[in-house]
Each structure stands twice: as C-alpha cells, then as structure tokens.
C-alpha cells in the first residue's frame, strides 16, 4: 500500500534540503514498488534519471534494464547511476 505526502511533509523529511516536486508517494511493498518504477519508466517522455545502490545480474535488474533500453531507443534520455 502507498501513502501520499504533500510537499511540506517531504521537504521536512528530506536530508538533501528542499525538493522541487509536486507530490510524492511512499510505497512499502516490494512488488508494488517494482511495478511503480516500471510504470514511471514506461510513461517517461523526455528524460529518466535513476540511482541504484544494488543493481545485479538478476531478473529484476534485467527487466529494469530492458525498460531503460527500450525508452532510450525511443528517444528518451536515460541516465542511470549505479553504485
């Protein structure tokens, strides 16, 4: 399930200072989180910026990689930072 936060709540919790966003959603379920990320990638029209701490040779990363490559091939600028 997801909780919706307003801009003021997100800014108060952010360790990086004020965030420029209109809304946010906290997704607690891993499967819902994965589905949400894929939907965001699939809906992107101009640019995707993603940061991952763990990105490995597994099914989940393969599906994400395929989604990133598909969007890049369609002309969307994709930036992926992996630690």
């Amino acid at each position: 399930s997801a909780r919706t936060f307003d801009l003021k709540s997100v800014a108060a919790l952010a360790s990086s200072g004020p965030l420029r966003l209109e809304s946010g959603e906290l997704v607690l379920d891993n499967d819902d989180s994965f589905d949400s990320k894929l939907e965001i990638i699939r809906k992107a029209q101009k640019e995707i910026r993603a940061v991952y701490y763990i990105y490995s040779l597994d099914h989940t990363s393969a599906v994400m990689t395929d989604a990133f490559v598909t969007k890049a091939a369609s002309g969307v600028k994709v930036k992926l930072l992996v630690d």
Side-chain angles (χ1 to χ4, degrees), residues 8-40:
K8 190 175 184 178
S9 298
V10 173
L13 296 171
S15 62
S16 63
L19 300 173
R20 293 185 184 108
L21 53 89
E22 294 179 15
S23 65
E25 186 176 16
L26 176 62
V27 182
L28 301 175
D29 180 80
N30 192 46
D31 291 335
D32 290 344
S33 175
F34 181 73
D35 292 341
S36 177
K37 289 181 228 178
L38 280 179
E39 182 161 342
I40 290 168

Side-chain angles (χ1 to χ4, degrees), residues 6-76:
D6 60 45
L7 181 59
K8 190 175 184 178
S9 298
V10 173
L13 296 171
S15 62
S16 63
L19 300 173
R20 293 185 184 108
L21 53 89
E22 294 179 15
S23 65
E25 186 176 16
L26 176 62
V27 182
L28 301 175
D29 180 80
N30 192 46
D31 291 335
D32 290 344
S33 175
F34 181 73
D35 292 341
S36 177
K37 289 181 228 178
L38 280 179
E39 182 161 342
I40 290 168
I41 293 168
R42 290 178 180 142
K43 287 182 176 180
Q45 296 178 359
K46 295 181 183 177
E47 182 177 53
I48 298 169
R49 294 182 192 185
V51 178
Y52 282 91
Y53 176 67
I54 299 173
Y55 203 88
S56 57
L57 298 174
D58 60 12
H59 176 72
T60 302
S61 296
V63 171
M64 296 292 286
T65 299
D66 184 58
F68 287 132
V69 170
T70 298
K71 290 311 286 192
S74 75
V76 173

